[in-house]
């Protein structure tokens, strides 16, 4: 496909936007259709209402001095900043919106294209409105018994002039965590009630409700509180506005004061307490918790204990002491990091060895009393108060400094990389990685040094002959030095990463640092070729031009350069060399496409090579590429090039002139009584300089018949018959001819009933275009139905069906009998057919009314006979039966009478016989069966011993006579 120039388009978030004073605001901007680097730069400006024509610069991703003075301090303090989402998309952040921030914002992208084409900026309007949202709830301290009802009221109001929606939700805080409030129930901005995960079933049961009373009052109702409801409850309201892009944005949120709720369990004779040896731990320490159950006659009662961390189950201990770990803890228990057990019926222990940061939080134990150990439902439940466990991370003071003394080298030079480790409290292990620039996200291990100083090399660096013997050494100052004695090629350049790892108390810390090096080729080249064309589809006779643009990090005129132009005529074929232009300007044309030399013009201007093709032909259609080679300066003779680059492929399509061909499509019919038939194919319109190929088809009258090709006459009058009409007899009967400039005709000689059907033609238009014939188009005619006039009287024939079998190699006669005599002065014709599945039965033998016999199937001519023992017997004898002869046969008789002397014969009557099913039998294959079936051969074998005895006696007698003499 061809390359087309892109058009730059800058898009900004659609306005007008309304945001609340003091809120954090973001505006997005993106660019597409650009050329140049993937990472584009963005500049934000504002046009204030007081001076709508004056641009006030705010912030830029490329120029630190871009902001005007009124915005400089806010940009430096990151009160205003730009977040890059990807190379061509950013977000403008205003962390605390002020009244003076209202206005029209413009996002501009500096040009990186070869020419200005498209839009480079876009604008949107931002309005600053007052925050009128308020939410209030009187703080309370409530103590309720499990099962009591709870009702809390929240007053929410707003007076925003714009159309906004409200959402109101209730939340529960437990423990000391301020950022993990649990949602109870929320009325969304779409007026839909959404319960939190822990309250979903209670909401469905109607136990938890949120009702709006009046315009500003929202009430939370819990029909029966549970111990899990205790904590601090508050109400949060949010105001939402719909932006022009039909998305909703929350522009303000307000939280009320909190109500403290304590829930007393109904199990008043069941007390639960939890204790920990240490509340504040460091990573790697051991945490032990005890859950103590207080109950009268505890030894005869049955308890199930559940350990909870931040209201999430950790483990269960059933009344039998069977322990079940929840998902996420089972694997740690298998590794010996966790242990939980039943110390007694009233004491349960949970131990965590080597605690981590994920183990901190609020621990509780929930005790469920069962009537019997196997019960699924508890008779009473109590939950302990929580113990807040804090886990302090072990801090690492290790720091890395990575640098190189060889930032730029040539292929073959050595690389020296340094990794300085500071602040490590214990020995470290070190790994060096190479990050190849040609494989983003991929890394290759170079070398490793373990804590004990053991050195190992990556698989790509173990061959000492390629890059020499690598060295990784540790100096006393804590600096690790990696030496690669010999760089292999430019791919050895890029980023090198040092990773140092330190272990302590089962944990490890890894610090990383990177350094970049550049490895240049011998000629210091950075060669790239790009091929482009203004148009990818050209009309026949139109000219087109291909431009091969060469990009280097040096002046191309200073070094010898040559260009190869390559051409691939078809996607599956090989590329062919059109022409090669040498550094001295000599052009050598390839032999595969000689016609290009007469039509092509070559040119060079600066760093681009041009190939201009005059008056395009269909033969010029295909895929083009250019390949550029350069040599080092002042090196003679040139020898091998120092670098080469092959461009992208550009496809050129040549469109032929439009076909004007029109073929008559009206259906018609022809009815004949006998003799010949003619089918016409008429051109309604065609160009004078065109040639035509005509293909005739027959569509039998059967419902499921498929079209049969009769004959195709090419534009050069070469005839090609279809398989059903390829016999000499058929070829002599079906003739295609052009009777005038716009009429083609199919002649059917000696037409018979079997020729009935629908005939049509397909006409192809061909023109000569300089170098050959090309097909412009084709048209299909209407159907012409050929029918025979049926005679008034019918011949009387035997129409019974027969079934015969014959052994292969033998002879068989298929019956066909005329009953009664035919009229005086008339003649009979007979045709034998074999039934075929394609819609047209195959004619085997035809006896004409004049007495001549024709064999449409020439291969059967020597095996078919009409013996005619009587005038009305037209039975067919098939000799030397073969396996392929099996099938269904029938004969057709026709009675003809000459109208007058010298006139054509006319069909008077016809009839068809019944069907004869012929089955072939394989021959006997054994020698014994052949002998037994031949009496003469059997007699010869029986008398063979007697003949041998007589011959032996005669020989003895002759010897005796000779001896007497």
């Amino acid at each position: 496909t061809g390359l087309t120039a892109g058009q730059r388009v800058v898009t900004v978030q659609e306005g007008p936007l309304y945001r609340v004073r003091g809120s954090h605001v973001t505006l997005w901007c993106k660019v597409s259709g650009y050329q140049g680097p993937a990472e584009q730069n963005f500049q934000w400006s504002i046009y204030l209402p007081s001076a709508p024509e004056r641009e006030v610069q705010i912030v830029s991703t490329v120029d630190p001095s871009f902001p005007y003075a009124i915005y400089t301090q806010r940009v430096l303090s990151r009160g205003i900043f730009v977040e890059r989402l990807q190379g061509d998309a950013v977000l403008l952040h205003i962390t605390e919106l002020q009244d003076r921030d209202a206005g029209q914002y413009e996002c501009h992208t500096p040009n990186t294209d070869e020419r200005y084409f498209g839009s480079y900026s876009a604008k949107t309007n931002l309005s600053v409105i007052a925050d009128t949202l308020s939410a209030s709830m009187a703080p309370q301290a409530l103590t309720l018994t499990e099962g009591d009802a709870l009702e809390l009221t929240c007053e929410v109001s707003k007076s925003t002039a714009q159309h906004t929606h409200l959402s109101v939700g209730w939340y529960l805080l437990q423990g000391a965590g301020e950022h993990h409030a649990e949602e109870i129930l929320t009325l969304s901005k779409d007026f839909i009630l959404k319960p939190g995960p822990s309250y979903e079933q209670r909401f469905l049961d109607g136990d938890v409700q949120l009702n709006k009373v009046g315009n500003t009052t929202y009430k939370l109702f819990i029909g029966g509180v549970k111990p899990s409801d205790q904590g601090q409850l508050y109400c949060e309201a949010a105001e939402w506005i719909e932006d022009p892009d039909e998305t909703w944005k929350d522009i303000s949120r307000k939280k009320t004061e909190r109500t403290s709720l304590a829930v007393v369990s109904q199990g008043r004779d069941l007390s639960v307490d939890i204790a920990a040896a240490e509340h504040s731990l460091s990573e790697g320490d051991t945490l032990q918790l005890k859950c103590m159950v207080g109950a009268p006659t505890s030894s005869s009662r049955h308890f199930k204990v559940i350990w909870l961390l931040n209201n999430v189950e950790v483990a269960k201990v059933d009344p039998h002491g069977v322990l079940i770990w929840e998902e996420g803890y089972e694997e740690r228990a298998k590794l010996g990091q966790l242990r939980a057990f039943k110390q007694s019926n009233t004491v349960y222990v949970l131990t965590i060895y080597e605690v981590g940061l994920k183990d901190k939080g609020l621990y509780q134990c929930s005790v469920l009393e069962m009537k019997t150990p196997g019960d699924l439902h508890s008779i009473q439940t109590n939950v302990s108060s929580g113990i807040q466990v804090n886990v302090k991370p072990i801090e690492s003071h290790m720091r890395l400094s990575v640098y190189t003394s060889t930032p730029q080298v040539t292929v073959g030079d050595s690389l020296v990389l340094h990794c300085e480790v500071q602040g490590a409290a214990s020995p470290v292990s070190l790994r060096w990685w190479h990050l190849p620039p040609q494989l983003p996200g991929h890394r290759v291990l170079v070398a490793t040094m373990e804590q004990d100083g053991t050195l190992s090399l990556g698989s790509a660096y173990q061959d000492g002959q390629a890059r020499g013997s690598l060295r990784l050494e540790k100096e006393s100052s804590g600096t690790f030095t990696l030496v690669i004695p010999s760089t292999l090629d430019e791919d050895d350049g890029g980023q090198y990463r040092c990773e140092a790892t330190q272990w302590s108390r089962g944990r490890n810390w890894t610090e990383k640092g990177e350094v970049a090096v550049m490895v240049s080729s011998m000629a210091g080249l950075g060669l790239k070729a790009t091929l482009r064309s203004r148009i990818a589809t050209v009309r026949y006779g139109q000219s087109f031009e291909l431009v091969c643009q060469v990009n280097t990090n040096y002046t191309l005129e200073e070094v010898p350069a040559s260009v190869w132009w390559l051409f691939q005529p078809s996607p599956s074929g090989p590329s062919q060399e059109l022409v090669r232009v040498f550094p001295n300007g000599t052009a050598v044309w390839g032999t595969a496409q000689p016609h290009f030399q007469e039509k092509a013009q070559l040119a060079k201007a600066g760093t681009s090579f041009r190939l201009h093709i005059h008056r395009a032909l269909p033969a010029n259609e295909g895929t083009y590429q250019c390949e550029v080679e350069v040599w080092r300066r002042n090196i003679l003779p040139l020898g091998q090039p120092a670098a080469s680059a092959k461009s992208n492929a550009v496809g050129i399509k040549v469109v032929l002139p439009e076909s004007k061909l029109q073929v008559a499509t009206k259906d018609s019919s022809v009815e004949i009584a006998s003799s010949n038939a003619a089918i016409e194919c008429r051109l309604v319109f065609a160009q004078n300089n065109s040639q035509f190929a005509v293909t005739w088809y027959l569509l039998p009258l059967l419902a499921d018949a498929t079209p049969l090709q009769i004959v195709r006459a090419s534009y050069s009058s070469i005839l090609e018959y279809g398989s059903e009409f390829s016999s000499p007899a058929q070829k002599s009967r079906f003739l295609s001819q052009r009777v005038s400039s716009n009429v083609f005709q199919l002649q059917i000689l000696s037409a018979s009933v079997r020729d009935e059907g629908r005939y049509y033609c397909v006409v192809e238009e061909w023109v000569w275009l300089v170098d050959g014939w090309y097909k412009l188009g084709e048209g299909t005619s209407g159907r012409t139905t050929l029918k025979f006039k049926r005679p008034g009287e019918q011949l009387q024939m035997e129409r019974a069906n027969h079934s015969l079998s014959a052994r292969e190699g033998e002879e068989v006669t298929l019956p066909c009998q005329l009953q009664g005599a035919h009229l005086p002065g008339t003649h009979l014709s007979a045709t034998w057919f074999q039934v075929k599945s394609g819609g047209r039965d195959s004619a085997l033998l035809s006896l004409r009314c004049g007495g001549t016999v024709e064999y449409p199937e020439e291969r059967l001519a020597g095996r078919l006979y009409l013996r005619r023992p009587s005038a009305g017997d037209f039975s067919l004898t098939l000799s030397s039966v073969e396996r392929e002869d099996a099938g269904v046969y029938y004969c057709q008789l026709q009675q003809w009478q000459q109208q007058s002397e010298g006139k054509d014969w006319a069909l008077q009557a016809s009839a068809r016989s019944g069907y004869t099913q012929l089955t072939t039998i394989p021959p006997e294959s054994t020698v014994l069966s052949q002998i037994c079936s031949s009496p003469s051969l059997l007699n010869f074998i029986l008398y063979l011993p007697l003949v041998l005895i007589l011959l032996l006696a005669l020989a003895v007698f002759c010897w005796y006579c000779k001896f007497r003499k």
Side-chain angles (χ1 to χ4, degrees):
T1 59
L3 298 179
T4 58
Q7 180 173 349
R8 177 182 289 255
V9 177
V10 177
T11 310
V12 74
Q13 188 170 346
E14 185 179 356
L17 302 174
Y18 296 92
R19 297 295 184 263
V20 169
R21 181 191 311 118
S23 62
H24 186 137
V25 176
T26 60
L27 299 175
W28 59 258
C29 179
K30 59 184 179 181
V31 62
S32 61
Y34 57 86
Q35 299 177 4
E39 184 170 291
Q40 295 286 296
N41 284 307
F42 295 81
Q43 295 176 340
W44 287 90
S45 302
I46 188 174
Y47 295 84
L48 298 173
S50 58
E53 301 299 325
R54 178 182 171 222
E55 177 187 5
V56 180
Q57 297 176 177
I58 301 176
V59 65
S60 168
T61 60
V62 64
D63 185 3
S65 63
F66 183 78
Y68 279 11
I70 61 172
Y71 287 103
T72 300
Q73 185 57 40
R74 294 175 70 184
V75 171
L76 291 176
S77 63
R78 291 187 63 80
I80 298 177
F81 65 92
V82 177
E83 175 191 359
R84 185 177 292 278
L85 302 178
Q86 56 189 45
D88 53 9
V90 297
L91 272 181
L92 172 67
H93 288 261
I94 303 176
T95 59
E96 188 175 351
L97 191 65
Q98 302 176 10
D99 288 330
R100 60 175 178 170
D101 294 329
Q104 187 178 51
Y105 284 77
E106 180 181 38
C107 174
H108 175 75
T109 61
N111 181 38
T112 60
D113 309 330
E114 293 183 355
R115 62 191 181 95
Y116 282 91
F117 187 38
S119 65
Y120 291 81
S121 65
K123 296 180 179 180
T124 189
N125 288 306
L126 174 65
S127 297
V128 181
I129 60 177
D131 186 359
T132 64
L133 177 66
S134 69
S136 62
M137 179 182 70
Q140 305 176 68
L142 303 176
T143 301
L144 301 177
T145 302
E146 183 178 2
D148 289 349
L150 171 67
E151 184 176 85
L152 297 176
T153 300
C154 180
E155 295 290 336
V156 179
S157 64
K158 66 178 179 69
S159 57
T160 307
Q162 287 72 29
H163 175 72
T164 59
H165 287 189
L166 289 176
S167 64
V168 178
W170 293 88
Y171 297 86
L172 171 64
L173 275 174
Q174 293 180 321
E178 291 287 331
H179 305 291
H180 299 286
E182 182 177 2
E183 182 183 11
I184 300 174
L185 187 59
T186 298
L187 178 64
S188 72
K189 67 179 186 304
D190 303 315
F191 313 109
I192 298 173
L193 287 172
K194 297 180 179 179
S198 299
Y199 288 85
E200 185 172 357
Q201 188 58 48
R202 295 170 68 183
F203 169 74
L204 295 174
D205 294 340
D207 186 52
V208 177
Q209 303 175 17
L210 194 158
N211 301 310
K212 183 178 181 183
V213 181
N215 292 328
T216 62
T217 303
Y218 297 82
K219 290 188 176 184
L220 172 69
F221 175 79
I222 300 179
V225 296
K226 296 184 178 182
S228 59
D229 295 328
Q230 66 183 5
Q232 299 183 71
L233 294 88
Y234 65 91
C235 168
E236 181 180 70
E239 186 175 5
W240 300 78
I241 192 168
E242 186 177 18
D243 286 342
D245 62 1
E246 298 185 353
T247 61
W248 287 87
K249 170 65 180 174
D250 54 329
I251 58 175
S252 179
R253 285 185 176 272
K254 295 293 174 62
K255 294 181 181 179
T256 67
E257 295 186 79
R258 300 171 185 174
T259 290
S260 176
L261 173 64
V263 179
V264 179
S265 173
Q266 287 181 345
R268 301 188 183 278
D269 67 338
L270 180 65
S271 63
V272 181
D273 195 13
I274 187 171
E278 289 287 342
H279 293 251
S280 181
L281 306 169
S282 297
E283 283 185 281
D285 291 345
T286 298
L287 170 65
Q288 187 177 75
L289 300 168
K290 285 188 177 182
C291 180
M292 292 159 287
V293 182
T297 65
S298 59
S299 60
S300 60
R301 298 166 72 171
H302 310 285
F303 303 112
K304 177 181 178 180
V305 175
I306 301 176
W307 288 99
L308 304 169
L309 171 57
N310 297 325
N311 290 322
V312 177
E313 292 187 8
V314 175
K316 301 175 184 176
V317 181
D318 71 4
H320 295 292
V322 177
L323 172 65
I324 300 175
W325 292 102
E326 292 300 318
E327 185 178 0
Y329 294 92
E330 186 174 4
E331 187 64 28
R332 294 178 64 187
K334 290 180 180 178
L335 297 174
Q337 299 175 0
L338 304 176
R339 185 185 180 207
F341 62 95
K342 177 180 179 180
Q343 184 173 315
S344 67
N345 203 37
T346 58
V347 178
Y348 298 82
V349 180
L350 171 65
T351 305
I352 303 178
Y353 303 98
E354 296 185 355
V355 295
L357 297 177
K358 60 186 175 182
D359 297 318
K360 68 180 180 179
L362 184 70
Y363 284 86
Q364 294 172 289
C365 64
S366 175
V367 179
L368 294 78
E369 183 177 2
M370 310 295 184
K371 190 172 183 180
T372 62
D375 279 358
L376 298 177
H377 302 286
S378 61
I379 58 176
Q380 63 173 323
T381 302
N382 201 352
V383 180
S384 71
S385 58
I387 287 185
Q388 185 68 35
V389 175
N390 295 317
V391 179
K392 295 182 294 184
I394 301 177
E395 297 182 358
S396 171
H397 301 285
M398 182 174 63
R399 298 292 181 268
L400 288 189
S401 176
V402 184
Y403 57 94
T404 178
S405 55
T406 54
Q408 294 185 352
V409 298
T410 304
V411 170
D413 292 346
S414 61
L415 287 180
V416 182
L417 309 171
H418 306 279
C419 182
E420 184 177 354
V421 181
Q422 298 176 338
S426 59
V428 299
S429 63
L430 198 83
R431 279 178 171 78
W432 278 101
W433 301 87
H434 179 216
L435 311 179
Q438 70 276 14
L439 297 173
H442 184 68
R443 63 179 187 174
V444 179
L445 181 63
V446 180
T448 299
M449 179 176 286
E450 302 297 342
Q451 291 174 286
D452 58 1
T454 303
L455 175 65
S456 60
L457 301 179
S459 58
Y461 293 83
Q462 293 176 359
D463 183 7
Q465 297 182 351
R467 296 181 177 83
S469 299
L470 270 70
R471 301 193 307 274
L472 178 55
E473 301 172 346
K474 179 182 179 183
E475 301 175 6
S476 58
S477 60
T479 300
F480 295 80
T481 301
L482 173 66
V483 179
I484 302 177
S486 177
T487 49
L488 194 60
D489 51 33
E490 296 96 321
D491 292 341
D492 282 347
Q495 295 284 335
Y496 284 82
R497 176 183 296 167
C498 173
E499 291 184 359
T501 304
Q502 176 186 3
W503 280 266
S504 176
R505 303 187 69 173
R507 283 199 63 203
N508 63 77
W509 298 266
T510 299
E511 294 290 335
K512 304 175 183 178
E514 294 181 6
V515 65
V517 297
M518 178 182 292
V519 180
S520 302
S521 66
M522 294 299 295
L525 303 176
L527 188 63
K528 182 181 179 182
T530 303
L531 184 62
R532 67 178 186 270
S533 172
R534 289 183 177 273
I535 51 177
T537 301
V538 298
R539 298 185 304 276
Y540 165 77
Q542 182 183 3
S543 300
F544 65 93
E545 186 176 76
L546 298 164
V547 179
C548 182
Q549 182 66 46
V550 182
N551 296 318
T552 63
N553 57 3
Y554 58 93
T555 303
L556 188 63
E557 287 79 4
E558 295 179 0
V559 297
S562 70
V563 62
W564 297 60
W565 289 96
L566 304 175
F567 176 66
Q568 187 179 16
S570 63
S572 58
S575 293
Q576 301 170 353
E577 181 183 347
L578 290 182
V579 62
R580 182 181 184 185
V581 183
F582 288 93
N584 59 4
T586 302
V588 178
W589 291 87
T591 59
Q593 299 286 341
H595 60 278
F596 272 85
Q597 185 173 358
E598 302 173 358
K599 307 174 65 62
Q601 180 180 352
L602 300 168
K604 179 179 181 296
T607 60
S608 65
F609 298 86
R610 298 175 182 267
L611 174 63
H612 188 91
I613 304 296
H614 299 278
R615 297 180 58 83
L617 297 174
N620 301 135
E621 181 176 308
T623 302
Y624 294 79
Q625 277 185 292
C626 67
E627 183 173 356
V628 179
E629 293 179 339
V630 296
W631 285 262
R632 295 179 60 186
R633 300 183 184 92
N634 304 321
I635 301 297
L636 295 175
L638 291 178
Q640 292 295 321
S644 65
K646 183 177 287 188
S647 76
N648 56 295
V650 171
I652 298 295
K653 181 175 179 58
V654 180
V655 179
L656 295 174
E658 182 181 358
S659 174
K660 305 294 184 180
L661 176 66
Q662 296 182 30
V663 181
T665 58
K666 184 177 181 181
D667 293 341
S668 62
S669 63
V670 174
E671 188 175 35
I672 62 174
S674 61
S675 189
N676 304 332
I679 310 296
E680 279 194 354
C681 178
R682 185 176 299 275
L683 303 184
V684 177
F685 181 84
Q687 301 180 99
N688 294 331
N689 60 340
S690 299
Q691 297 293 328
F692 304 96
V694 180
T695 305
W696 290 95
Y697 291 90
L698 166 60
L699 185 62
L701 296 176
L702 298 178
D704 297 328
T706 57
L708 304 174
Q709 179 181 330
I710 303 171
V711 61
R712 181 182 188 272
S714 69
Y715 60 82
S716 56
S717 299
I718 296 175
L719 298 180
E720 178 184 354
Y721 283 84
S723 59
E724 297 286 337
F725 299 85
S726 59
S727 67
Q730 295 286 65
K731 289 182 179 179
S732 64
R733 293 182 56 241
F734 291 86
L735 304 176
S736 176
Q737 57 184 354
R738 186 172 185 176
V739 297
S740 68
S741 61
N742 66 332
V743 177
F744 296 87
Q745 197 175 77
L746 176 68
Q747 291 282 348
I748 307 175
L749 306 181
S750 301
S752 62
V753 175
R754 64 185 293 267
D755 297 323
E756 285 186 337
R758 290 165 290 176
Y759 292 78
Y760 66 93
C761 71
V762 176
V763 182
E764 303 168 8
E765 183 180 15
W766 292 76
V767 295
W768 175 264
L769 299 178
V770 181
D771 62 337
W773 287 94
Y774 292 89
K775 176 181 173 182
L776 297 187
E778 67 178 32
T780 302
S781 73
R783 268 58 169 173
T784 298
T785 303
L786 176 62
K787 294 183 179 180
F788 270 74
K789 293 181 180 178
R790 302 298 180 184
E793 59 181 297
Q794 296 291 323
L795 295 174
Q796 299 299 317
M797 291 186 66
E798 180 185 1
R799 298 188 58 82
N801 295 331
H802 300 276
S803 179
L804 301 177
S805 61
R807 192 176 300 280
E808 293 178 19
E810 294 181 357
E811 183 177 278
V812 66
T813 298
L814 310 177
C816 179
Q817 297 286 339
L818 174 66
Q819 295 178 348
H822 60 88
L823 296 175
T826 62
H827 288 245
L828 293 174
S829 66
T831 304
W832 272 94
F833 296 89
Q834 185 178 15
V835 177
K836 298 292 185 181
S837 61
R840 180 178 171 87
D841 297 339
S842 176
L844 306 177
L845 178 147
S846 294
L847 173 64
R848 296 300 180 187
C849 58
T852 60
V853 178
E854 295 178 357
Y855 296 91
E857 294 283 347
E858 284 189 338
R859 61 183 180 84
L860 300 175
R863 297 197 294 124
L864 300 177
Y865 305 95
L866 286 179
R867 302 200 185 276
R868 301 289 306 280
S870 63
D873 190 345
F874 294 88
S875 299
L876 176 68
T877 299
L878 177 60
S879 64
S880 301
V881 172
E882 299 175 358
R883 180 186 303 175
E884 291 76 17
D885 295 334
V888 178
Y889 296 78
Y890 67 92
C891 74
Q892 181 171 315
L893 299 183
Q894 295 175 323
Q895 180 176 279
W896 302 82
Q897 186 174 25
Q898 196 171 23
Q899 302 298 316
S900 61
E901 187 67 22
K903 297 295 184 179
D904 290 338
W905 290 80
L907 181 65
Q908 298 298 318
S910 67
R912 194 175 72 177
S913 71
Y915 292 101
T916 299
Q917 174 74 51
L918 176 61
T919 304
T920 60
I921 303 173
E924 295 181 9
S925 58
T926 64
V927 175
L928 182 59
S929 64
Q930 294 178 9
I931 293 173
C932 295
S933 63
S934 175
S936 59
L937 184 59
L938 181 59
N939 291 336
F940 174 78
I941 293 175
L942 291 174
Y943 288 100
L944 181 60
L946 181 59
V947 174
L948 293 177
I949 294 171
L950 290 174
L951 290 175
L952 180 59
L954 181 61
V956 171
F957 178 76
C958 291
W959 176 81
Y960 176 76
C961 292
K962 183 178 180 182
F963 179 77
R964 289 292 302 269
K965 292 180 181 181

